[in-house]
């Protein structure tokens, strides 16, 4: 099915799920924690949502710091410990943030490209733990600035 934009489509999606079909549907919502509210407005009660919504997947484009002008930072002890534990590898000595002034390579933006990610969220609006691990991995390799962790 395509996008859930109204009560009729929402009902069809949940009817298909109740019939045992694997269903993936899209919704145009700014924040994943609002999915449940939008489904409720479309007439899908909380019990049906809990039973059939297995994950909310959000596509995001993260800005990548320019490798030519990025600024090096020392990670906090807490961040180093979290990286070592989740990534099961030594935490990097340095992490990076974007340069406010940039350079000619990034047209003075401090950003060079972007990394598209799929974030998995739970119905209650909390991120799945694997999302944090993926962000830490990108930060540890210097692709994404540390500011994306907040």
């Amino acid at each position: 099915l395509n996008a859930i934009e109204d009560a009729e489509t929402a009902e069809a999606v949940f009817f298909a799920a109740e019939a045992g079909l694997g269903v993936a549907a899209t919704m145009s919502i700014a924040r994943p924690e609002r999915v449940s509210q939008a489904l409720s407005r479309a007439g899908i009660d909380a019990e049906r949502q809990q039973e059939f919504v297995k994950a909310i997947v959000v596509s995001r484009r993260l800005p990548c710091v320019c490798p030519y002008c990025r600024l090096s930072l020392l990670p906090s002890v807490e961040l180093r410990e979290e990286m070592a534990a989740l990534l099961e590898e030594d935490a990097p000595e340095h992490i990076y943030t974007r340069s406010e002034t940039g350079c000619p390579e990034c047209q003075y933006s401090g950003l060079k490209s972007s990394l598209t990610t799929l974030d998995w969220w739970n119905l209650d609006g909390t991120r799945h733990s694997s999302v944090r691990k993926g962000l830490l991995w990108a930060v540890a390799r210097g692709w994404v600035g540390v500011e994306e962790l907040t």
Side-chain angles (χ1 to χ4, degrees):
L1 293 173
N2 206 358
I4 297 175
E5 296 176 353
D6 55 36
E8 183 179 359
T9 307
E11 188 56 43
V13 166
F14 278 81
F15 180 79
E18 289 166 345
L21 298 173
V23 179
T26 61
M27 296 179 82
S28 295
I29 294 180
R31 300 180 56 101
E33 57 269 19
R34 295 186 182 151
V35 168
S36 183
Q37 295 168 350
L39 289 172
S40 293
R41 282 193 304 275
I44 306 300
D45 64 53
E47 185 178 315
R48 288 175 80 196
Q49 291 180 40
Q50 287 294 328
E51 185 174 353
F52 293 104
V53 176
K54 302 302 181 199
I56 300 164
V57 181
V58 178
S59 173
R60 287 194 317 158
R61 292 184 67 179
L62 300 175
C64 293
V65 294
C66 176
Y68 301 103
C69 65
R70 64 189 180 186
L71 302 175
S72 177
L73 302 171
L74 294 174
S76 68
V77 172
E78 295 84 10
L79 182 57
R80 286 180 53 80
E81 289 173 355
E82 182 183 14
M83 285 179 157
L86 279 176
L87 301 178
E88 299 174 357
E89 60 187 43
D90 291 338
E93 293 297 319
H94 297 275
I95 54 177
Y96 301 92
T97 190
R98 71 182 278 262
S99 165
E100 292 296 323
T101 57
C103 69
E105 284 291 325
C106 62
Q107 299 178 354
Y108 304 99
S109 70
L111 304 171
K112 190 68 174 157
S113 60
S114 63
L115 177 68
T116 301
T117 65
L118 296 177
D119 292 354
W120 292 76
W121 291 73
N122 302 310
L123 188 58
D124 65 3
T126 58
R127 275 186 177 165
H128 191 275
S129 60
S130 64
V131 174
R132 178 76 175 174
K133 184 176 180 178
L135 286 172
L136 287 171
W137 189 83
V139 168
R141 279 146 184 81
W143 297 347
V144 176
V146 68
E147 58 275 4
E148 295 302 323
L149 291 176
T150 56

